[in-house]
Amino acid sequence: MGFHVSWVATRGIEMDALWSAFQLAKAPSNTESDAITSTVLSSGWNLVSFNSMSTYFMGFDEDIPRELSKQGEVLQCVADETCMGSSARGYRGGAMLWRVEHNASESRFNIEATGTPPPCYMEIRQRLLAKQRAQGRGVDYVFSLPIEICETLTGYRYDRVYGGAIECLIEAEAE
């Protein structure tokens, strides 16, 4: 079974506002679940990560990042290793400014981009497409395109370990 994760990172928006937007609260100390976690990245971005299938779709929602972006910059990223689909979106001023998606069920070379992706997009795209052409048998390198865009912008990648303090969160009404 593959891994499903979605996350939202904000800059210029307080962590409390990010938690509140998703109706999240700090988990009691006796909670053993890490299905939803939060941290402040060394790059200054605030991050909430939805780390299980049961919470994955909370981070997939477009309305919350759009609303949050009225206060600052918002990035949203999704990685679904089961279907090898990935997506990154950038929001500011209450609007989605760009979106980059990969869907391996279409093709290992599938890339859909709208708006004006960040400057790092083209270099990452060209590098991963070249790697896919040269070494791609059985491996989907293009899957990493949206993930690497967000990593370049925030310093965060879902499949790496970070040394910062991590808060476990729960849905606020579940308290």
Side-chain angles (χ1 to χ4, degrees):
M1 184 168 152
F3 190 72
H4 305 77
V5 64
S6 58
W7 63 99
V8 174
T10 63
R11 187 167 53 186
I13 301 170
E14 294 295 321
M15 187 66 86
D16 289 345
L18 177 56
W19 289 5
S20 179
F22 284 97
Q23 298 179 354
L24 300 172
K26 186 175 177 178
S29 58
N30 62 350
T31 303
E32 293 186 28
S33 173
D34 62 352
I36 307 170
T37 57
S38 180
T39 192
V40 177
L41 301 171
S42 61
S43 60
W45 287 80
N46 293 324
L47 178 92
V48 171
S49 183
F50 303 92
N51 305 311
S52 72
M53 189 58 184
S54 63
T55 62
Y56 168 75
F57 290 103
M58 289 177 74
F60 203 80
D61 186 304
E62 288 183 40
D63 294 336
I64 295 171
R66 185 172 313 203
E67 187 63 30
L68 273 170
S69 75
K70 292 175 181 177
Q71 302 171 51
E73 193 170 358
V74 179
L75 292 176
Q76 180 181 41
C77 196
V78 173
D80 186 337
E81 293 179 357
T82 300
C83 66
M84 294 307 287
S86 56
S87 170
R89 298 174 187 140
Y91 302 84
R92 193 173 319 136
M96 184 189 315
L97 302 178
W98 59 270
R99 175 181 58 87
V100 175
E101 293 184 347
H102 170 69
N103 182 349
S105 67
E106 297 288 326
S107 157
R108 285 196 181 126
F109 293 92
N110 170 267
I111 299 170
E112 294 181 29
T114 59
T116 305
C120 62
Y121 164 74
M122 196 52 73
E123 181 279 322
I124 297 168
R125 180 183 190 276
Q126 290 172 341
R127 177 175 44 81
L128 292 175
L129 285 172
K131 193 171 184 178
Q132 189 71 49
R133 284 194 277 292
Q135 304 172 323
R137 290 212 144 113
V139 178
D140 183 357
Y141 293 104
V142 179
F143 170 80
S144 294
L145 175 61
I147 298 159
E148 286 191 28
I149 291 169
C150 288
E151 179 183 22
T152 300
L153 298 173
T154 67
Y156 176 78
R157 187 176 170 114
Y158 77 99
D159 55 359
R160 302 233 168 89
V161 177
Y162 295 86
I166 295 175
E167 293 282 353
C168 291
L169 305 176
I170 57 171
E171 294 179 58
E173 60 254 2
E175 287 186 76

